Amino acid sequence: MIIHDETLHRTTNGTGQVADYTLAELWQFRLPNGECIPTLADFLQLVGTAPVQLDLEFKTDVERYPGIEETVLPLVKEAPLAKPVIFSFFN
């Protein structure tokens, strides 16, 4: 999921830790504009070949996400992005 915080209350109508929910449960929450929280795959498709520089930040200092690199890298490699992606980790 693409979400700024490790908790839901500030950016969605949900509460609690993002890591405590399944993907299906997270799709039930809404952003202020009424849309659901996007997945990384959805986001990469939306960006498509637009000439933008992405900096994907991984906030792993509070909550650990084992295997996140192995999940994210294939998605980014398969996306038809115009520019390379910068990966930032907060740990």
Side-chain angles (χ1 to χ4, degrees):
M1 304 302 286
I2 297 288
I3 189 165
H4 185 269
D5 299 347
E6 291 179 331
T7 57
L8 294 163
H9 71 277
R10 192 177 68 83
T11 57
T12 74
N13 64 345
T15 59
Q17 298 285 325
V18 173
D20 291 340
Y21 291 93
T22 66
L23 179 61
E25 291 170 332
L26 288 170
W27 272 333
Q28 303 305 310
F29 300 121
R30 294 290 177 252
L31 303 171
N33 66 0
E35 293 183 13
C36 63
I37 305 168
T39 64
L40 177 58
D42 292 337
F43 176 72
L44 293 173
Q45 183 177 6
L46 178 66
V47 172
T49 58
V52 296
Q53 181 76 58
L54 299 179
D55 182 352
L56 297 179
E57 295 181 359
F58 297 84
K59 297 178 182 176
T60 58
D61 58 326
V62 174
E63 188 71 40
R64 303 283 185 220
Y65 301 95
I68 193 168
E69 299 89 349
E70 291 82 8
T71 301
V72 169
L73 197 53
L75 292 172
V76 172
K77 283 184 175 181
E78 292 172 10
L81 301 173
K83 296 186 178 189
V85 174
I86 297 168
F87 296 95
S88 303
F89 285 82
F90 290 88
N91 185 338

